[in-house]
Amino acid sequence: MTILVTGSRGRVARTLIDLLHAQGRSLRAGSSDPGASDPPGGIPAVRCVLDDPGTFRSALEGVCSVFLYAGRSADAATSFAEAAAAAGVRHIVLLSSSAVLEPGAADDLLAGHHAAVEAALRGGPVPATFLRPGDFAGNALQWARPIAATDTVRLPYPDAHTVPLHEDDLAAAAAAVLTAPERYSAPAYTLTGPQSLTFREQAELIGAARGRPVRVEPVSRAGWMAETSIPASYAEALLDHWRNHDGTPVATTATVAALTGRPARPFAAWAATHAAAFS
């Protein structure tokens, strides 16, 4: 039976497709622009847009399991689950966020849509498993241009902690849950990298990986807001999140090892792989 991977042009989904393809699984790559997809081995690319229920039926035909990006609408998730049930889908693995575990998540700008989509699927007609990663190691790529140009990154909270998760570890965990749901049957899994690191420490590791130190220059909230292209409301929410973790380590989990059989990759390994982006 076929596995549908939505958001197939994203970093996690692309890695997941490669892993499942290597296992010989029957796959379908879903995205809003299948013409821009390039899945390996002749895997069919199909149009699947969570905001367009008209794309669900053909994308889901013959599918047994789905890797689903959360989207931003609980109503869309409900419609998708109903279409999945009608198509005979037996399992949905949702890419959610550990932010849903924070107090007040339902009303939080960053976490609210994840919490709403989880709630919609939790009461839906298809069994669902929620993968809840924290911060991605790949978030550091937003520093690539200034580091490459000036050897400097300007940060409003350089000593804020995150637990950066290698996207390859998330993809491997998703592959395990998709292919062995009877073994990994918990309703949700919280995934983190192996170590809580400050942004300053992450910048140091990037510097070590590229062979040239990275300077960290503190910047005010207003200064950072003026420099970012992130919409103001989301930027403010991010700043508040970083402020709440300024100087405070974030708890880690051993979930990656439990699901994949190997420890989570350290941020240094991610930095070594992506050093060219910062050079």
Side-chain angles (χ1 to χ4, degrees):
M1 295 289 284
T2 298
I3 298 171
L4 170 66
V5 179
T6 70
S8 61
R9 291 181 291 146
R11 287 195 300 267
V12 174
R14 289 199 305 267
T15 303
L16 175 59
I17 287 172
D18 288 343
L19 287 173
L20 295 173
H21 178 63
Q23 295 176 10
R25 307 285 178 176
S26 174
L27 299 171
R28 190 172 297 154
S31 77
S32 59
D33 185 5
S37 299
D38 187 24
I43 293 169
V46 298
R47 181 169 164 80
C48 184
V49 185
L50 288 185
D51 293 333
D52 183 1
T55 66
F56 295 165
R57 183 174 179 179
S58 59
L60 289 165
E61 185 177 358
V63 166
C64 67
S65 300
V66 177
F67 178 73
L68 182 66
Y69 275 72
R72 295 197 174 273
S73 166
D75 289 342
T78 297
S79 296
F80 184 87
E82 291 171 349
V89 171
R90 298 196 295 268
H91 187 209
I92 293 172
V93 176
L94 174 73
L95 177 57
S96 184
S97 168
S98 64
V100 302
L101 302 174
E102 298 289 336
D107 299 318
D108 182 82
L109 187 62
L110 299 177
H113 72 279
H114 290 288
V117 171
E118 282 197 10
L121 294 181
R122 189 178 294 114
V126 179
T129 302
F130 308 141
L131 298 183
R132 294 169 173 165
D135 298 278
F136 293 136
N139 291 348
L141 288 171
Q142 65 189 311
W143 306 339
R145 183 175 296 178
I147 288 176
T150 68
D151 296 331
T152 302
V153 59
R154 287 162 54 84
L155 299 172
Y157 293 101
D159 294 310
H161 277 258
T162 71
V163 280
L165 174 68
H166 199 302
E167 289 87 343
D168 288 359
D169 286 334
L170 175 55
V177 177
L178 280 164
T179 57
E182 70 288 345
R183 180 177 180 184
Y184 304 114
S185 56
Y189 293 96
T190 301
L191 301 104
T192 72
Q195 185 180 12
S196 182
L197 295 169
T198 66
F199 289 137
R200 191 187 305 275
E201 290 169 332
Q202 292 169 43
E204 290 173 356
L205 289 168
I206 290 169
R210 72 184 193 133
R212 194 164 69 253
V214 173
R215 294 187 300 273
V216 175
E217 181 179 308
V219 62
S220 68
R221 287 174 66 111
W224 184 82
M225 287 277 290
E227 295 171 2
T228 187
S229 60
I230 299 172
S233 56
Y234 284 94
E236 288 282 5
L238 276 173
L239 287 165
D240 290 344
H241 176 74
W242 295 335
R243 180 191 60 202
N244 292 340
H245 292 91
D246 191 23
T248 304
V250 180
T252 62
T253 72
T255 308
V256 168
L259 293 177
T260 70
R262 60 178 304 281
R265 296 168 174 86
F267 184 81
W270 180 92
T273 302
H274 294 83
F278 300 89
S279 299

